[in-house]
Amino acid sequence: PNLHYYKGKLYDVMGNHKAAAAEFTKELVNNPGGWATMVELGKQKVELGQVRDALDLFNKAMQIVPAQPEPKLESGYANYLLKNYQGAVALYNAALMYDKGNPLIYKRMGMAYRDMGDPVGARNAFRKYLEMEPDAPDKAEFERFL
């Protein structure tokens, strides 16, 4: 169990998204209800430009484990990439219900607010992100919104 999952994680760390996706796909054949594998495969599909396929995986994972924040976060990001900014913000807010301590949620929420033309929402989200990650490598990019 999980052999292909761990191989996929190794390929992901090495940056080989195609091989990682193949391993996660094999793992889903062996364990079709593995929500963590669905999320990881979805992340690889995002990296490979297959965002709609990734969104399907994230949504399926959300149905399996509705109280887990990661599928909501990743589904929000897929919606953001598909320019569904309101959907992305709604999913980020849903993820925050279960994980208020994740700075990535605030960062991505700020990006969605920024791109949908809501500077106040973007400022608030980026402020929270930078409070949680004061030494973030992308700090300068988001400080200009404060």
Side-chain angles (χ1 to χ4, degrees), residues 21-69:
E23 291 299 329
F24 291 131
T25 300
K26 289 176 189 175
E27 182 63 33
L28 278 179
V29 169
N30 295 335
N31 182 9
W35 68 270
T37 305
M38 289 175 202
V39 171
E40 292 300 327
L41 178 56
K43 288 179 182 179
Q44 300 311 309
K45 289 192 177 280
V46 165
E47 291 292 331
L48 295 169
Q50 302 166 1
V51 179
R52 291 205 185 278
D53 293 340
L55 185 59
D56 291 340
L57 288 162
F58 298 141
N59 291 340
K60 188 173 179 183
M62 279 193 295
Q63 291 172 350
I64 294 170
V65 286
Q68 285 291 329

Side-chain angles (χ1 to χ4, degrees), residues 86-142:
Q86 290 178 337
V89 168
L91 285 159
Y92 293 142
N93 279 316
L96 283 173
M97 289 175 46
Y98 299 101
D99 188 6
K100 291 188 185 319
N102 187 341
L104 183 59
I105 298 172
Y106 292 103
K107 175 183 172 179
R108 288 184 176 173
M109 183 184 292
M111 292 166 52
Y113 276 129
R114 175 195 64 200
D115 291 353
M116 67 191 276
D118 183 347
V120 174
R123 183 180 323 114
N124 292 335
F126 288 142
R127 179 178 293 123
K128 186 71 173 170
Y129 167 63
L130 292 175
E131 285 173 6
M132 298 174 87
E133 289 284 337
D135 297 326
D138 53 4
K139 180 178 181 177
E141 178 183 345
F142 300 113

